């Protein structure tokens, strides 16, 4: 099993550009999520999905879109990049979260810089 | 929404000293998880606690869940350089979200 994979590993964007961060998992997990990590802020939830076709917002969803057309893939789209979106982005998957939480498997992360 | 607060933010110790990080919630948690992130790496699951007053050990790591299920701690006995990293607690927010504390960054002087 590859686990959770993310591409690209690094990305530099100019303000206003759009891009998609890719995330895929091969563990047949229903639950997938995106977090951003900034110094001193921990991991903040952007969006999550409890299954194909179902997505919802986390703590910091503004400026990001997601979709979940398959169980395996959960891409994160930056609509119009801003310097405030400079961060490290982690995708995670599991059998569940919240009150039914289970072990979260994290991808290696994407380090994004917006200039 | 419910927040999980973690202290301290940073901790520097001499190798061999003990280390503790604390996690507090304003509301009762159904469960709490702990993760470790090595420098430049991604968070890796350590453990999940679900019972009031639960204590679990993994070698030199001891995890506790408070009696009221509002706080938790991670204690490392006799730190080693391999313990360097950031330790996060995470708790549920509602039925479907997992929120993380700010993390405690542990550095060790060999």
């Amino acid at each position: 099993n590859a686990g959770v994979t993310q591409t690209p590993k690094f990305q530099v964007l100019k303000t206003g550009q759009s891009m998609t961060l890719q995330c895929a998992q091969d563990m047949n997990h229903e639950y997938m999520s995106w977090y951003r990590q900034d110094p001193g802020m921990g991991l903040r939830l952007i969006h999550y999905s409890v299954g194909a076709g179902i997505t919802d917002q986390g703590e910091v969803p503004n400026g990001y879109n997601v979709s979940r057309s398959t169980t395996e893939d959960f891409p994160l789209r930056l609509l119009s990049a801003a310097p405030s979106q400079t961060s490290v982005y982690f995708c995670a998957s599991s059998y569940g979260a919240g009150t039914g939480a289970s072990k979260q498997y994290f991808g290696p992360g994407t380090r994004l810089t917006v200039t | 929404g419910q927040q999980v607060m973690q202290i301290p933010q940073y901790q520097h110790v001499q190798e061999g000293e003990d280390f503790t990080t604390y996690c507090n919630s304003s509301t009762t948690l159904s469960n709490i998880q702990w993760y470790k992130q090595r420098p430049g790496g991604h968070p890796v699951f350590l453990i999940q606690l679900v019972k009031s007053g639960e204590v679990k050990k993994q070698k030199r790591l001891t995890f506790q869940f408070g009696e009221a299920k509002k706080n938790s701690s991670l204690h490392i006995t006799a730190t080693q350089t391999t313990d360097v990293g950031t330790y996060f607690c995470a708790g549920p927010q509602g039925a479907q979200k997992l929120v993380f504390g700010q993390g405690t960054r542990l550095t060790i002087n060999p």
Side-chain angles (χ1 to χ4, degrees):
Chain A
N1 284 356
V4 180
T5 57
Q6 290 183 241
T7 56
K9 284 187 168 49
F10 301 94
Q11 183 70 49
V12 179
L13 291 179
K14 294 187 188 301
T15 297
Q17 287 184 319
S18 62
M19 78 159 295
T20 300
L21 279 61
Q22 301 291 344
C23 174
Q25 53 92 10
D26 62 358
M27 296 173 280
N28 203 33
H29 286 160
E30 290 295 325
Y31 188 90
M32 296 185 74
S33 55
W34 278 100
Y35 290 87
R36 59 176 289 173
Q37 184 174 31
D38 304 295
M41 302 291 289
L43 294 155
R44 292 184 292 170
L45 182 64
I46 304 172
H47 284 284
Y48 66 96
S49 168
V50 299
I54 307 169
T55 64
D56 206 344
Q57 296 180 348
E59 303 168 87
V60 288
N62 292 342
Y64 307 95
N65 270 0
V66 291
S67 60
R68 184 96 179 268
S69 55
T70 67
T71 299
E72 294 78 19
D73 300 298
F74 191 43
L76 178 72
R77 296 184 187 84
L78 279 69
L79 309 173
S80 177
S84 60
Q85 294 179 304
T86 293
S87 188
V88 181
Y89 291 85
F90 288 102
C91 177
S93 76
S94 73
Y95 291 111
T99 50
S102 66
K103 173 181 178 180
Q104 302 291 314
Y105 293 80
F106 282 84
T110 294
R111 188 174 296 273
L112 175 68
T113 301
V114 183
T115 60
Chain B
Q2 175 262 325
Q3 289 187 333
V4 175
M5 308 300 293
Q6 196 172 347
I7 55 170
Q9 191 171 355
Y10 302 98
Q11 185 78 55
H12 180 77
V13 301
Q14 292 288 125
E15 188 175 14
E17 291 182 339
D18 291 357
F19 159 78
T20 305
T21 174
Y22 300 91
C23 190
N24 296 291
S25 169
S26 57
T27 60
T28 301
L29 301 171
S30 59
N31 64 82
I32 194 158
Q33 299 180 348
W34 286 92
Y35 291 79
K36 176 183 178 181
Q37 182 179 26
R38 294 183 186 273
H42 59 276
V44 175
F45 176 85
L46 293 175
I47 207 161
Q48 178 168 290
L49 306 173
V50 297
K51 296 178 183 176
S52 169
E54 190 169 15
V55 178
K56 286 189 176 180
K57 293 190 175 185
Q58 291 179 350
K59 297 183 180 178
R60 294 177 295 104
L61 277 62
T62 302
F63 303 85
Q64 292 190 336
F65 201 8
E67 292 290 342
K69 301 182 76 173
K70 288 186 175 182
N71 57 76
S72 181
S73 64
L74 158 59
H75 179 82
I76 301 178
T77 304
T79 55
Q80 299 175 359
T81 54
T82 53
D83 296 325
V84 163
T86 301
Y87 293 85
F88 292 98
C89 62
Q93 184 180 76
Q96 296 174 337
K97 297 180 189 177
L98 187 67
V99 291
F100 283 75
Q102 300 95 321
T104 296
R105 183 180 171 192
L106 173 64
T107 55
I108 298 174
N109 204 21

